[in-house]
Amino acid sequence: MMLPNYKEARKRVKNKYNTINYKIDKKFINNYTGKTYYIKTYGCQMNEHDSENISAMIEELGFKKVDDYNNADLVLLNTCSIRENAHNKAFGMLGRLKHLKETINKDLIIGLCGCMAQEEGVVDEILKDYKFVNFVFGTHNLHELPTIIDKAIKEEKQVIEVYSKEGDLVEGIPVKRDKDYKAYVNIIYGCDKFCTYCIVPYTRGGQRSRKKEDIIEEVKQLVADGYKEVTLLGQNVNAYGKDLYKDYGLGELLEDVSKTNIERVRFMTSHPWDFTDNMIDVIAKYKNIMPSIHLPIQSGSNKILKLMGRRYTQESYLDLFNKIKEKIPNVSISTDIIVGFPNETEEDFRKTLEVVEYCKFDNAFTFIYSPRENTPAAKLKDIVTQEEKEERLQRLNTIVNKYFLEKNKKLVGKEVLVLTEGVSDKKNMYYGYTDTNKLINFTGKNISRGDIVTVKIDDAKTWSLDGHVK
Ligand code: 5AD
Ligand code: SF4
């Protein structure tokens, strides 16, 4: 048994990892043919992509995927820790699985992985009160999944294998991609920023970049397989390369990925701190790098930004924002905002509203602050009441929504390039995303998933556009 430890998770050691290749022990291959699995994914794109790796590894064992957990022999929850409600959802699901195991499917194998598995408190709770969970493994040993599942099925007792520290960087883990036209590509794992509210540096470990050759090779393979779009993923993609190279960062990587001639390149998430002029120039220069940037601001108040440990001020964020707008034509900028951080006064909150009024973000993900286990902010005295937090969130949402609509309305009559994703719920309409990452429903004929088409925009809603193929 290997339990998570926060003190260990906090430590950062520079360049102490190697790149190794994934290898499955032949004795596991197709050992469980005839069995089925169900995987439920919570959280971010990183987790979604991990689930694509997990699915491929489980399928190597012989399991087949099912869409209903009631029909599965193995259920795996790939969890998220970012806010309390992510926790609650996963524990709620565990409750339903317990019932299923007690009543209908006594042999059900239940596993939990992802960020929650890296939390000391969660694992303690599972050991104490969730004995029906067969196995738990963390974000650092995904590649050991075949061994862990085999052990969990054969052993009577709970198998808990969570490493507190990131180990080697593993290349070559198989992947079963959800989509055949757009793909996620990890470029950097972990985070060293330690924003005071955030659990990610503990659950995902230290910043580790993949080698540029491995990334380019993966993208080239995707192009050869007919993929149209890649999203380069990382908790903070702007830090790409810092742990590996002297003069090679996200700007250079974007340029090299662009040169593979993949039709669309996206990247997320960017911390404003590491956004260089070179990155902006590269995004502006290459047509296949999408003019769409996710740039979380979190708060507009310098006092709160300092308490959050964000390393920028409202002024420096706005300087960067203006520079990006100036240099990249038609760029869309989206953001994340937290309200109700400990000690946020009405005046601090108004500063956030001021920034929102100025930036008129194309999209914004807004959250109420949620204290996370062992993070520095969780130790701050919180003076904001729940009612105040909810009221602030509502006020903020009213404003951000107003600007989504306003910005979308400006697009009516314009022509945009859209990557078609499929047929929408609305009868006879396709749907897809514009270069600026806006959802659009549109009419047209003989269009296939993955086609990039020119669409004229006819109508604007708050969260989507309507149009027709030209
Ligand atoms: N409480 C609320 N929101 C949070 N986020 C991260 N940690 C917390 C927290 N403890 C938000 C941030 C981040 C996004 C992914 O989630 O806005 O950018
Ligand atoms: Fe959730 Fe963050 Fe983990 Fe993603 S990295 S699953 S958002 S806690």
Side-chain angles (χ1 to χ4, degrees):
M1 183 150 58
M2 189 86 107
L3 300 178
N5 175 305
Y6 260 60
K7 264 207 190 112
E8 280 302 305
R10 212 193 145 74
K11 286 183 194 154
R12 290 293 183 262
V13 190
K14 273 226 156 97
N15 289 336
K16 278 281 163 70
Y17 63 89
N18 298 308
T19 300
I20 57 165
N21 270 310
Y22 170 82
K23 216 170 154 227
I24 180 171
D25 193 328
K26 283 210 173 70
K27 71 176 186 230
F28 295 134
I29 294 178
N30 291 331
N31 235 0
Y32 295 97
T33 302
K35 298 266 183 211
T36 56
Y37 78 101
Y38 172 89
I39 182 163
K40 173 93 189 148
T41 310
Y42 303 88
C44 63
Q45 289 89 348
M46 212 81 168
N47 249 23
E48 281 176 32
H49 187 41
D50 283 349
S51 285
E52 294 182 331
N53 288 129
I54 291 168
S55 296
M57 285 188 279
I58 300 184
E59 293 192 11
E60 277 190 326
L61 301 179
F63 287 88
K64 260 211 154 72
K65 196 174 226 161
V66 290
D67 295 331
D68 181 351
Y69 63 85
N70 290 297
N71 304 328
D73 298 306
L74 167 75
V75 175
L76 186 55
L77 306 186
N78 189 9
T79 60
C80 169
S81 309
I82 200 91
R83 283 170 291 275
E84 199 185 350
N85 60 358
H87 262 221
N88 295 345
K89 278 188 207 156
F91 277 116
M93 183 68 180
L94 280 181
R96 290 192 286 282
L97 293 174
K98 181 181 187 201
H99 179 72
L100 182 65
K101 195 162 173 169
E102 281 172 353
T103 54
I104 301 168
N105 187 356
K106 293 199 169 39
D107 297 324
L108 182 64
I109 299 286
I110 300 171
L112 185 139
C113 65
C115 289
M116 277 169 68
Q118 294 294 143
E119 287 185 68
E120 287 174 10
V122 169
V123 174
D124 284 350
E125 219 173 318
I126 288 186
L127 279 166
K128 209 163 91 239
D129 298 328
Y130 292 78
K131 297 206 161 54
F132 60 93
V133 172
N134 300 74
F135 67 100
V136 178
F137 66 95
T139 57
H140 302 317
N141 57 337
L142 218 65
H143 58 288
E144 293 180 347
L145 182 123
T147 321
I148 294 167
I149 290 186
D150 192 70
K151 200 167 155 194
I153 292 176
K154 288 183 180 144
E155 279 190 22
E156 286 289 300
K157 56 179 192 306
Q158 268 184 340
V159 175
I160 309 230
E161 296 289 338
V162 181
Y163 301 146
S164 306
K165 290 233 56 73
E166 58 283 348
D168 292 324
L169 204 147
V170 189
E171 287 293 340
I173 300 184
V175 58
K176 181 179 190 264
R177 297 194 187 271
D178 285 341
K179 294 179 175 141
D180 58 7
Y181 52 92
K182 65 178 192 183
Y184 293 128
V185 173
N186 285 327
I187 63 166
I188 181 167
Y189 300 97
C191 183
D192 288 350
K193 283 282 176 291
F194 288 102
C195 300
T196 58
Y197 52 80
C198 187
I199 199 162
V200 173
Y202 308 89
T203 61
R204 292 274 174 178
Q207 223 161 258
R208 286 147 297 146
S209 302
R210 282 179 75 195
K211 291 196 180 110
K212 58 184 180 188
E213 295 80 10
D214 291 328
I215 297 167
I216 304 296
E217 204 37 54
E218 185 173 345
V219 177
K220 280 187 176 159
Q221 190 54 52
L222 288 164
V223 176
D225 292 343
Y227 278 81
K228 301 289 175 61
E229 182 178 295
V230 291
T231 301
L232 308 180
L233 286 184
Q235 305 303 341
N236 173 21
V237 287
N238 297 31
Y240 176 75
K242 287 189 178 187
D243 53 317
L244 272 189
Y245 308 114
K246 244 198 175 138
D247 303 310
Y248 193 96
L250 181 65
E252 288 74 16
L253 181 70
L254 279 172
E255 200 159 10
D256 282 343
V257 170
S258 162
K259 287 177 181 162
T260 64
N261 286 331
I262 183 98
E263 301 221 30
R264 292 182 152 199
V265 184
R266 298 189 186 279
F267 55 96
M268 71 182 312
T269 291
S270 290
H271 188 297
W273 170 259
D274 295 308
F275 220 111
T276 64
D277 286 355
N278 181 46
M279 286 177 207
I280 303 177
D281 292 340
V282 169
I283 300 163
K285 179 172 166 195
Y286 291 94
K287 268 192 127 160
N288 59 349
I289 304 178
M290 295 298 100
S292 162
I293 295 173
H294 189 61
L295 197 66
I297 183 164
Q298 313 299 2
S299 167
S301 149
N302 287 341
K303 179 190 100 190
I304 297 296
L305 286 171
K306 193 145 192 235
L307 284 173
M308 287 177 164
R310 288 292 284 178
R311 311 174 191 211
Y312 56 83
T313 57
Q314 185 204 92
E315 294 76 19
S316 62
Y317 181 93
L318 291 180
D319 282 348
L320 175 64
F321 180 92
N322 289 332
K323 199 161 28 167
I324 293 173
K325 284 269 173 188
E326 219 170 84
K327 288 195 168 175
I328 308 173
N330 296 323
V331 68
S332 73
I333 300 184
S334 54
T335 202
D336 291 340
I337 299 168
I338 297 174
V339 301
F341 190 80
N343 295 320
E344 183 190 68
T345 59
E346 173 64 22
E347 199 190 332
D348 293 317
F349 176 62
R350 287 225 182 106
K351 297 233 162 77
T352 299
L353 295 184
E354 256 169 54
V355 174
V356 169
E357 293 278 359
Y358 177 85
C359 294
K360 306 181 172 56
F361 291 106
D362 289 86
N363 205 351
F365 301 90
T366 56
F367 312 103
I368 289 180
Y369 166 71
S370 170
R372 307 319 296 135
E373 177 181 86
N374 274 317
T375 55
K379 296 182 186 92
L380 295 173
K381 206 169 152 226
D382 193 355
I383 52 156
V384 195
T385 66
Q386 189 58 26
E387 293 74 53
E388 274 173 304
K389 290 177 188 179
E390 278 163 20
E391 190 246 3
R392 283 179 195 168
L393 184 70
Q394 261 188 18
R395 277 159 70 199
L396 175 65
N397 283 344
T398 308
I399 299 177
V400 290
N401 293 348
K402 181 180 90 184
Y403 287 117
F404 301 163
L405 183 62
E406 193 174 282
K407 290 229 125 160
N408 280 348
K409 275 190 172 157
K410 286 200 175 126
L411 293 172
V412 174
K414 298 229 160 79
E415 287 176 14
V416 284
L417 284 169
V418 176
L419 172 60
T420 312
E421 303 239 336
V423 178
S424 70
D425 295 340
K426 294 183 181 180
K427 246 202 243 148
N428 297 329
M429 277 189 125
Y430 297 96
Y431 72 97
Y433 286 87
T434 65
D435 52 352
T436 53
N437 212 18
K438 292 183 188 286
L439 174 64
I440 179 157
N441 295 297
F442 59 97
T443 53
K445 276 202 186 99
N446 303 326
I447 298 163
S448 303
R449 188 178 68 221
D451 285 351
I452 294 179
V453 291
T454 304
V455 176
K456 184 155 187 192
I457 299 167
D458 301 317
D459 197 12
K461 317 226 166 66
T462 303
W463 287 285
S464 67
L465 300 161
D466 282 344
H468 65 275
V469 167
K470 277 293 287 175

